[in-house]
Every structure is written in C-alpha cells, then in structure tokens.
PDB file of all heavy atoms in Angstrom:
ATOM      1  N   GLY O   1      11.484 -14.379  15.388  1.00  0.00           N
ATOM      2  CA  GLY O   1      11.095 -13.169  15.951  1.00  0.00           C
ATOM      3  C   GLY O   1       9.554 -13.031  15.950  1.00  0.00           C
ATOM      4  O   GLY O   1       8.905 -13.965  15.473  1.00  0.00           O
ATOM      5  N   PRO O   2       8.969 -12.000  16.438  1.00  0.00           N
ATOM      6  CA  PRO O   2       7.539 -11.892  16.510  1.00  0.00           C
ATOM      7  C   PRO O   2       6.935 -11.848  15.023  1.00  0.00           C
ATOM      8  O   PRO O   2       7.502 -11.376  14.116  1.00  0.00           O
ATOM      9  CB  PRO O   2       7.326 -10.498  17.184  1.00  0.00           C
ATOM     10  CG  PRO O   2       8.583  -9.844  17.149  1.00  0.00           C
ATOM     11  CD  PRO O   2       9.713 -10.882  16.904  1.00  0.00           C
ATOM     12  N   ARG O   3       5.723 -12.298  15.017  1.00  0.00           N
ATOM     13  CA  ARG O   3       5.069 -12.406  13.699  1.00  0.00           C
ATOM     14  C   ARG O   3       4.662 -10.954  13.229  1.00  0.00           C
ATOM     15  O   ARG O   3       4.309 -10.179  13.975  1.00  0.00           O
ATOM     16  CB  ARG O   3       3.701 -13.300  13.918  1.00  0.00           C
ATOM     17  CG  ARG O   3       2.937 -13.438  12.734  1.00  0.00           C
ATOM     18  CD  ARG O   3       1.694 -14.262  12.996  1.00  0.00           C
ATOM     19  NE  ARG O   3       0.705 -13.613  13.768  1.00  0.00           N
ATOM     20  CZ  ARG O   3      -0.321 -12.980  13.341  1.00  0.00           C
ATOM     21  NH1 ARG O   3      -0.482 -12.763  11.976  1.00  0.00           N
ATOM     22  NH2 ARG O   3      -1.143 -12.330  14.232  1.00  0.00           N
ATOM     23  N   ARG O   4       4.916 -10.753  11.872  1.00  0.00           N
ATOM     24  CA  ARG O   4       4.616  -9.518  11.378  1.00  0.00           C
ATOM     25  C   ARG O   4       3.133  -9.370  11.244  1.00  0.00           C
ATOM     26  O   ARG O   4       2.362 -10.339  11.048  1.00  0.00           O
ATOM     27  CB  ARG O   4       5.195  -9.325   9.959  1.00  0.00           C
ATOM     28  CG  ARG O   4       6.755  -9.206  10.075  1.00  0.00           C
ATOM     29  CD  ARG O   4       7.337  -9.143   8.763  1.00  0.00           C
ATOM     30  NE  ARG O   4       6.650  -8.128   7.861  1.00  0.00           N
ATOM     31  CZ  ARG O   4       7.168  -7.871   6.577  1.00  0.00           C
ATOM     32  NH1 ARG O   4       8.160  -8.579   6.090  1.00  0.00           N
ATOM     33  NH2 ARG O   4       6.690  -7.024   5.774  1.00  0.00           N
ATOM     34  N   ALA O   5       2.610  -8.163  11.393  1.00  0.00           N
ATOM     35  CA  ALA O   5       1.080  -7.879  11.270  1.00  0.00           C
ATOM     36  C   ALA O   5       0.755  -7.992   9.747  1.00  0.00           C
ATOM     37  O   ALA O   5       1.482  -7.610   8.901  1.00  0.00           O
ATOM     38  CB  ALA O   5       0.710  -6.587  11.849  1.00  0.00           C
ATOM     39  N   ARG O   6      -0.470  -8.395   9.551  1.00  0.00           N
ATOM     40  CA  ARG O   6      -1.006  -8.507   8.152  1.00  0.00           C
ATOM     41  C   ARG O   6      -1.524  -7.014   7.886  1.00  0.00           C
ATOM     42  O   ARG O   6      -1.997  -6.387   8.680  1.00  0.00           O
ATOM     43  CB  ARG O   6      -2.207  -9.437   8.225  1.00  0.00           C
ATOM     44  CG  ARG O   6      -2.841  -9.563   6.885  1.00  0.00           C
ATOM     45  CD  ARG O   6      -3.916 -10.709   6.964  1.00  0.00           C
ATOM     46  NE  ARG O   6      -4.759 -10.500   5.780  1.00  0.00           N
ATOM     47  CZ  ARG O   6      -5.797  -9.891   5.709  1.00  0.00           C
ATOM     48  NH1 ARG O   6      -6.424  -9.308   6.808  1.00  0.00           N
ATOM     49  NH2 ARG O   6      -6.666  -9.874   4.584  1.00  0.00           N
ATOM     50  N   ILE O   7      -1.222  -6.768   6.557  1.00  0.00           N
ATOM     51  CA  ILE O   7      -1.703  -5.334   6.134  1.00  0.00           C
ATOM     52  C   ILE O   7      -2.896  -5.511   5.239  1.00  0.00           C
ATOM     53  O   ILE O   7      -2.896  -6.350   4.316  1.00  0.00           O
ATOM     54  CB  ILE O   7      -0.465  -4.674   5.265  1.00  0.00           C
ATOM     55  CG1 ILE O   7       0.693  -4.420   6.116  1.00  0.00           C
ATOM     56  CG2 ILE O   7      -1.011  -3.312   4.715  1.00  0.00           C
ATOM     57  CD1 ILE O   7       0.666  -3.436   7.216  1.00  0.00           C
ATOM     58  N   ALA O   8      -3.838  -4.610   5.380  1.00  0.00           N
ATOM     59  CA  ALA O   8      -5.044  -4.603   4.592  1.00  0.00           C
ATOM     60  C   ALA O   8      -5.367  -3.060   4.262  1.00  0.00           C
ATOM     61  O   ALA O   8      -4.890  -2.243   5.032  1.00  0.00           O
ATOM     62  CB  ALA O   8      -6.343  -5.209   5.326  1.00  0.00           C
ATOM     63  N   PHE O   9      -6.165  -2.903   3.285  1.00  0.00           N
ATOM     64  CA  PHE O   9      -6.427  -1.486   2.829  1.00  0.00           C
ATOM     65  C   PHE O   9      -7.965  -1.223   2.821  1.00  0.00           C
ATOM     66  O   PHE O   9      -8.681  -2.177   2.412  1.00  0.00           O
ATOM     67  CB  PHE O   9      -5.852  -1.234   1.423  1.00  0.00           C
ATOM     68  CG  PHE O   9      -4.302  -1.311   1.432  1.00  0.00           C
ATOM     69  CD1 PHE O   9      -3.703  -2.479   1.024  1.00  0.00           C
ATOM     70  CD2 PHE O   9      -3.601  -0.087   1.618  1.00  0.00           C
ATOM     71  CE1 PHE O   9      -2.311  -2.584   1.039  1.00  0.00           C
ATOM     72  CE2 PHE O   9      -2.298  -0.253   1.642  1.00  0.00           C
ATOM     73  CZ  PHE O   9      -1.612  -1.371   1.254  1.00  0.00           C
ATOM     74  N   SER O  10      -8.290  -0.091   3.290  1.00  0.00           N
ATOM     75  CA  SER O  10      -9.679   0.332   3.197  1.00  0.00           C
ATOM     76  C   SER O  10      -9.993   0.600   1.722  1.00  0.00           C
ATOM     77  O   SER O  10      -9.097   0.750   1.129  1.00  0.00           O
ATOM     78  CB  SER O  10      -9.981   1.503   4.089  1.00  0.00           C
ATOM     79  OG  SER O  10      -9.303   2.679   3.497  1.00  0.00           O
ATOM     80  N   ASP O  11     -11.292   0.674   1.484  1.00  0.00           N
ATOM     81  CA  ASP O  11     -11.633   0.946   0.146  1.00  0.00           C
ATOM     82  C   ASP O  11     -11.115   2.388  -0.298  1.00  0.00           C
ATOM     83  O   ASP O  11     -10.493   2.441  -1.435  1.00  0.00           O
ATOM     84  CB  ASP O  11     -13.145   1.113  -0.144  1.00  0.00           C
ATOM     85  CG  ASP O  11     -13.841  -0.349  -0.006  1.00  0.00           C
ATOM     86  OD1 ASP O  11     -13.075  -1.294  -0.203  1.00  0.00           O
ATOM     87  OD2 ASP O  11     -15.009  -0.358   0.250  1.00  0.00           O
ATOM     88  N   SER O  12     -11.043   3.325   0.504  1.00  0.00           N
ATOM     89  CA  SER O  12     -10.527   4.733   0.013  1.00  0.00           C
ATOM     90  C   SER O  12      -9.085   4.626  -0.127  1.00  0.00           C
ATOM     91  O   SER O  12      -8.492   5.354  -1.020  1.00  0.00           O
ATOM     92  CB  SER O  12     -10.927   5.746   1.079  1.00  0.00           C
ATOM     93  OG  SER O  12     -10.379   5.461   2.228  1.00  0.00           O
ATOM     94  N   ALA O  13      -8.362   3.857   0.753  1.00  0.00           N
ATOM     95  CA  ALA O  13      -6.862   3.778   0.620  1.00  0.00           C
ATOM     96  C   ALA O  13      -6.529   2.933  -0.644  1.00  0.00           C
ATOM     97  O   ALA O  13      -5.511   3.245  -1.354  1.00  0.00           O
ATOM     98  CB  ALA O  13      -6.313   3.029   1.876  1.00  0.00           C
ATOM     99  N   ALA O  14      -7.307   1.964  -0.926  1.00  0.00           N
ATOM    100  CA  ALA O  14      -7.048   1.164  -2.193  1.00  0.00           C
ATOM    101  C   ALA O  14      -7.273   2.062  -3.502  1.00  0.00           C
ATOM    102  O   ALA O  14      -6.476   1.901  -4.413  1.00  0.00           O
ATOM    103  CB  ALA O  14      -8.009  -0.093  -2.233  1.00  0.00           C
ATOM    104  N   LYS O  15      -8.248   3.027  -3.425  1.00  0.00           N
ATOM    105  CA  LYS O  15      -8.288   3.853  -4.521  1.00  0.00           C
ATOM    106  C   LYS O  15      -7.157   4.758  -4.671  1.00  0.00           C
ATOM    107  O   LYS O  15      -6.721   5.213  -5.767  1.00  0.00           O
ATOM    108  CB  LYS O  15      -9.633   4.679  -4.375  1.00  0.00           C
ATOM    109  CG  LYS O  15     -10.875   3.858  -4.718  1.00  0.00           C
ATOM    110  CD  LYS O  15     -12.118   4.667  -4.569  1.00  0.00           C
ATOM    111  CE  LYS O  15     -13.279   3.647  -4.662  1.00  0.00           C
ATOM    112  NZ  LYS O  15     -14.385   4.058  -5.316  1.00  0.00           N
ATOM    113  N   GLN O  16      -6.545   5.248  -3.479  1.00  0.00           N
ATOM    114  CA  GLN O  16      -5.374   6.032  -3.519  1.00  0.00           C
ATOM    115  C   GLN O  16      -4.167   5.289  -4.210  1.00  0.00           C
ATOM    116  O   GLN O  16      -3.394   5.958  -4.909  1.00  0.00           O
ATOM    117  CB  GLN O  16      -5.082   6.446  -2.115  1.00  0.00           C
ATOM    118  CG  GLN O  16      -5.932   7.617  -1.564  1.00  0.00           C
ATOM    119  CD  GLN O  16      -5.521   8.068  -0.200  1.00  0.00           C
ATOM    120  OE1 GLN O  16      -4.388   8.054   0.068  1.00  0.00           O
ATOM    121  NE2 GLN O  16      -6.491   8.403   0.575  1.00  0.00           N
ATOM    122  N   LEU O  17      -4.140   3.941  -3.809  1.00  0.00           N
ATOM    123  CA  LEU O  17      -3.082   3.142  -4.405  1.00  0.00           C
ATOM    124  C   LEU O  17      -3.082   3.112  -5.978  1.00  0.00           C
ATOM    125  O   LEU O  17      -2.018   3.066  -6.544  1.00  0.00           O
ATOM    126  CB  LEU O  17      -3.109   1.735  -3.795  1.00  0.00           C
ATOM    127  CG  LEU O  17      -2.721   1.636  -2.295  1.00  0.00           C
ATOM    128  CD1 LEU O  17      -2.925   0.211  -1.920  1.00  0.00           C
ATOM    129  CD2 LEU O  17      -1.329   2.048  -2.161  1.00  0.00           C
ATOM    130  N   GLU O  18      -4.314   3.174  -6.451  1.00  0.00           N
ATOM    131  CA  GLU O  18      -4.377   3.180  -7.938  1.00  0.00           C
ATOM    132  C   GLU O  18      -3.767   4.398  -8.564  1.00  0.00           C
ATOM    133  O   GLU O  18      -3.328   4.358  -9.728  1.00  0.00           O
ATOM    134  CB  GLU O  18      -5.932   3.061  -8.374  1.00  0.00           C
ATOM    135  CG  GLU O  18      -6.553   1.776  -7.970  1.00  0.00           C
ATOM    136  CD  GLU O  18      -8.030   1.728  -8.268  1.00  0.00           C
ATOM    137  OE1 GLU O  18      -8.529   2.730  -8.722  1.00  0.00           O
ATOM    138  OE2 GLU O  18      -8.689   0.789  -7.877  1.00  0.00           O
ATOM    139  N   ASN O  19      -3.613   5.427  -7.839  1.00  0.00           N
ATOM    140  CA  ASN O  19      -3.077   6.575  -8.378  1.00  0.00           C
ATOM    141  C   ASN O  19      -1.616   6.771  -8.184  1.00  0.00           C
ATOM    142  O   ASN O  19      -0.929   7.730  -8.715  1.00  0.00           O
ATOM    143  CB  ASN O  19      -3.659   7.900  -7.653  1.00  0.00           C
ATOM    144  CG  ASN O  19      -5.152   8.033  -7.889  1.00  0.00           C
ATOM    145  OD1 ASN O  19      -5.569   7.726  -9.073  1.00  0.00           O
ATOM    146  ND2 ASN O  19      -5.867   8.510  -7.040  1.00  0.00           N
ATOM    147  N   LEU O  20      -0.894   5.784  -7.618  1.00  0.00           N
ATOM    148  CA  LEU O  20       0.545   5.744  -7.539  1.00  0.00           C
ATOM    149  C   LEU O  20       1.073   5.199  -8.856  1.00  0.00           C
ATOM    150  O   LEU O  20       0.659   4.233  -9.302  1.00  0.00           O
ATOM    151  CB  LEU O  20       0.968   4.770  -6.366  1.00  0.00           C
ATOM    152  CG  LEU O  20       0.590   5.108  -5.010  1.00  0.00           C
ATOM    153  CD1 LEU O  20       1.224   4.076  -3.993  1.00  0.00           C
ATOM    154  CD2 LEU O  20       1.005   6.358  -4.615  1.00  0.00           C
ATOM    155  N   THR O  21       1.956   6.084  -9.471  1.00  0.00           N
ATOM    156  CA  THR O  21       2.298   5.718 -10.796  1.00  0.00           C
ATOM    157  C   THR O  21       3.795   5.496 -10.892  1.00  0.00           C
ATOM    158  O   THR O  21       4.165   4.763 -11.918  1.00  0.00           O
ATOM    159  CB  THR O  21       1.902   6.860 -11.809  1.00  0.00           C
ATOM    160  OG1 THR O  21       2.599   8.063 -11.349  1.00  0.00           O
ATOM    161  CG2 THR O  21       0.443   7.036 -11.882  1.00  0.00           C
ATOM    162  N   THR O  22       4.679   5.942 -10.061  1.00  0.00           N
ATOM    163  CA  THR O  22       6.070   5.830 -10.259  1.00  0.00           C
ATOM    164  C   THR O  22       6.584   4.793  -9.218  1.00  0.00           C
ATOM    165  O   THR O  22       5.911   4.451  -8.231  1.00  0.00           O
ATOM    166  CB  THR O  22       6.852   7.033  -9.931  1.00  0.00           C
ATOM    167  OG1 THR O  22       6.691   7.337  -8.492  1.00  0.00           O
ATOM    168  CG2 THR O  22       6.260   8.202 -10.715  1.00  0.00           C
ATOM    169  N   GLU O  23       7.685   4.077  -9.636  1.00  0.00           N
ATOM    170  CA  GLU O  23       8.328   3.038  -8.790  1.00  0.00           C
ATOM    171  C   GLU O  23       8.689   3.723  -7.477  1.00  0.00           C
ATOM    172  O   GLU O  23       8.730   3.144  -6.405  1.00  0.00           O
ATOM    173  CB  GLU O  23       9.430   2.464  -9.435  1.00  0.00           C
ATOM    174  CG  GLU O  23       8.933   1.235 -10.446  1.00  0.00           C
ATOM    175  CD  GLU O  23      10.016   0.433 -10.932  1.00  0.00           C
ATOM    176  OE1 GLU O  23      10.896  -0.090  -9.976  1.00  0.00           O
ATOM    177  OE2 GLU O  23      10.169   0.052 -11.995  1.00  0.00           O
ATOM    178  N   ALA O  24       9.162   4.988  -7.618  1.00  0.00           N
ATOM    179  CA  ALA O  24       9.691   5.692  -6.244  1.00  0.00           C
ATOM    180  C   ALA O  24       8.482   5.771  -5.323  1.00  0.00           C
ATOM    181  O   ALA O  24       8.719   5.558  -4.123  1.00  0.00           O
ATOM    182  CB  ALA O  24      10.290   6.989  -6.623  1.00  0.00           C
ATOM    183  N   GLU O  25       7.303   6.109  -5.797  1.00  0.00           N
ATOM    184  CA  GLU O  25       6.205   6.277  -4.881  1.00  0.00           C
ATOM    185  C   GLU O  25       5.796   4.840  -4.268  1.00  0.00           C
ATOM    186  O   GLU O  25       5.620   4.837  -3.071  1.00  0.00           O
ATOM    187  CB  GLU O  25       4.932   6.783  -5.673  1.00  0.00           C
ATOM    188  CG  GLU O  25       5.052   8.279  -5.960  1.00  0.00           C
ATOM    189  CD  GLU O  25       3.939   8.693  -6.808  1.00  0.00           C
ATOM    190  OE1 GLU O  25       3.339   7.816  -7.605  1.00  0.00           O
ATOM    191  OE2 GLU O  25       3.559   9.830  -6.789  1.00  0.00           O
ATOM    192  N   ILE O  26       5.808   3.925  -5.102  1.00  0.00           N
ATOM    193  CA  ILE O  26       5.506   2.550  -4.524  1.00  0.00           C
ATOM    194  C   ILE O  26       6.588   2.054  -3.608  1.00  0.00           C
ATOM    195  O   ILE O  26       6.158   1.487  -2.558  1.00  0.00           O
ATOM    196  CB  ILE O  26       5.378   1.524  -5.816  1.00  0.00           C
ATOM    197  CG1 ILE O  26       4.124   1.988  -6.623  1.00  0.00           C
ATOM    198  CG2 ILE O  26       5.213   0.171  -5.302  1.00  0.00           C
ATOM    199  CD1 ILE O  26       4.029   1.317  -7.919  1.00  0.00           C
ATOM    200  N   HIS O  27       7.794   2.340  -3.791  1.00  0.00           N
ATOM    201  CA  HIS O  27       8.937   1.819  -2.989  1.00  0.00           C
ATOM    202  C   HIS O  27       8.811   2.607  -1.633  1.00  0.00           C
ATOM    203  O   HIS O  27       8.891   1.956  -0.645  1.00  0.00           O
ATOM    204  CB  HIS O  27      10.171   2.161  -3.661  1.00  0.00           C
ATOM    205  CG  HIS O  27      11.457   1.949  -2.823  1.00  0.00           C
ATOM    206  ND1 HIS O  27      11.874   0.493  -2.560  1.00  0.00           N
ATOM    207  CD2 HIS O  27      12.197   2.688  -2.126  1.00  0.00           C
ATOM    208  CE1 HIS O  27      12.858   0.593  -1.778  1.00  0.00           C
ATOM    209  NE2 HIS O  27      13.202   1.896  -1.471  1.00  0.00           N
ATOM    210  N   ALA O  28       8.504   3.891  -1.678  1.00  0.00           N
ATOM    211  CA  ALA O  28       8.400   4.663  -0.502  1.00  0.00           C
ATOM    212  C   ALA O  28       7.260   4.159   0.395  1.00  0.00           C
ATOM    213  O   ALA O  28       7.487   3.990   1.594  1.00  0.00           O
ATOM    214  CB  ALA O  28       8.081   6.086  -0.822  1.00  0.00           C
ATOM    215  N   LEU O  29       6.133   3.868  -0.150  1.00  0.00           N
ATOM    216  CA  LEU O  29       5.041   3.291   0.601  1.00  0.00           C
ATOM    217  C   LEU O  29       5.329   1.862   1.050  1.00  0.00           C
ATOM    218  O   LEU O  29       5.028   1.679   2.268  1.00  0.00           O
ATOM    219  CB  LEU O  29       3.736   3.336  -0.250  1.00  0.00           C
ATOM    220  CG  LEU O  29       2.490   2.771   0.469  1.00  0.00           C
ATOM    221  CD1 LEU O  29       2.153   3.598   1.715  1.00  0.00           C
ATOM    222  CD2 LEU O  29       1.287   2.772  -0.503  1.00  0.00           C
TER     223      LEU O  29
END
C-alpha cells in the first residue's frame, strides 16, 4: 500500500504530550 506519512511534533505539542498521564489518553491519541 501507500507509504505512511512520518509523524513529528512541534515543541508546543511535545510539551502537551508530557501531560498525558493515562494509558487511555495515550491510546486515544
């Protein structure tokens, strides 16, 4: 199939990721 796009995070998005604490939040994202 077609190649999947690479995912990168801006600095502000990376900081938001640090605040994810539950497995449910991580799984949803």
Side-chain angles (χ1 to χ4, degrees):
R3 182 178 70 91
R4 288 174 57 177
R6 181 175 164 263
I7 301 287
F9 294 92
S10 68
D11 290 341
S12 62
K15 287 182 187 209
Q16 288 181 32
L17 289 176
E18 292 173 4
N19 295 326
L20 298 182
T21 57
T22 68
E23 281 195 43
E25 291 174 327
I26 294 167
H27 177 74
L29 180 59

